Amino acid sequence: MCIVSAVSVSCENNPAEVESYRKSSKEIEEAKQISATFSQSGNLKAILKAPLMYRIKGDTIKTEFPRSVYVTFYDSLGNIESIVRSNYAEYLEVFRKVYLRDSVVVLNMKGDTLYAQDMWWEQDQELFWSNNPVRIRTLTQKLRGTGIQAKADFSKYTIENPVGDVAIPEDIDTN
């Protein structure tokens, strides 16, 4: 006597679960005690230092500095032009933009210092900007406002909505 038995097994994936898994899966690279040098046409442009960096590859690629970042920018002669630091930074590679937040400080070698809670840096335009409250301390003034646009070297800036008194130098024609 011969007994034949057939077993049929099928497997079906829920499309919503598969899509959810695909979206949530990210490749994360971690690096500690970062020191990166950036140059252009053989000239030193910047040195970035950070205690921790994550490079996250998902739908978009971003680099995150969750514990702080410190960047020194240099002019074409190799002199320090400005310094930027914040407690958090995120570089969005596709857009070539950097988002800084949490105790952002930008200072130039003239002695001007910008304080903000958050700020964007447009890499291609070499422009810092924010729509939120900012403070600037120069050698002679303390300025406040909501919103700013500034060159990357912080040599020129415009406060969008200034608040308080602003001293106007005597050599400027006000007529």
Side-chain angles (χ1 to χ4, degrees):
M1 175 186 300
C2 184
I3 299 176
V4 177
S5 171
V7 177
S8 175
V9 178
S10 69
C11 179
E12 183 177 321
N13 291 325
N14 179 336
E17 281 183 32
V18 171
E19 182 64 16
S20 171
Y21 176 75
R22 187 189 68 75
K23 283 186 176 180
S24 66
S25 65
K26 296 178 184 175
E27 182 180 326
I28 299 175
E29 300 169 354
E30 178 181 310
K32 295 180 180 176
Q33 301 308 319
I34 301 301
S35 181
T37 302
F38 300 91
S39 61
Q40 186 176 35
S41 302
N43 295 322
L44 176 65
K45 294 298 283 181
I47 296 177
L48 177 145
K49 294 186 178 200
L52 179 64
M53 179 188 87
Y54 296 120
R55 183 171 161 88
I56 303 164
K57 296 178 183 177
D59 290 341
T60 61
I61 298 173
K62 73 176 182 176
T63 304
E64 188 175 300
F65 302 91
R67 291 196 190 145
S68 71
V69 67
Y70 186 94
V71 184
T72 306
F73 290 94
Y74 296 87
D75 66 16
S76 60
L77 301 174
N79 300 313
I80 295 175
E81 202 169 55
S82 60
I83 296 171
V84 177
R85 68 178 162 88
S86 73
N87 289 338
Y88 176 88
E90 186 175 288
Y91 175 56
L92 304 170
E93 195 170 306
V94 173
F95 303 108
R96 297 181 47 85
K97 294 182 182 184
V98 177
Y99 177 63
L100 304 160
R101 76 166 191 245
D102 193 10
S103 303
V104 180
V105 177
V106 181
L107 60 106
N108 65 18
M109 296 304 102
K110 293 188 313 185
D112 301 333
T113 307
L114 165 68
Y115 302 92
Q117 279 306 303
D118 74 334
M119 185 171 301
W120 284 93
W121 180 49
E122 304 278 347
Q123 188 174 355
D124 293 336
Q125 298 172 4
E126 296 188 4
L127 175 77
F128 285 106
W129 65 270
S130 178
N131 292 324
N132 294 312
V134 296
R135 291 181 300 124
I136 296 177
R137 178 177 286 154
T138 70
L139 296 176
T140 59
Q141 297 186 73
K142 293 180 184 179
L143 309 168
R144 292 181 299 127
T146 302
I148 191 168
Q149 287 193 15
K151 290 181 64 173
D153 64 3
F154 197 48
S155 61
K156 293 184 181 180
Y157 52 85
T158 302
I159 297 176
E160 300 297 328
N161 299 296
V163 178
D165 297 331
V166 177
I168 299 174
E170 291 180 16
D171 60 346
I172 293 180
D173 184 16
T174 58
N175 292 327

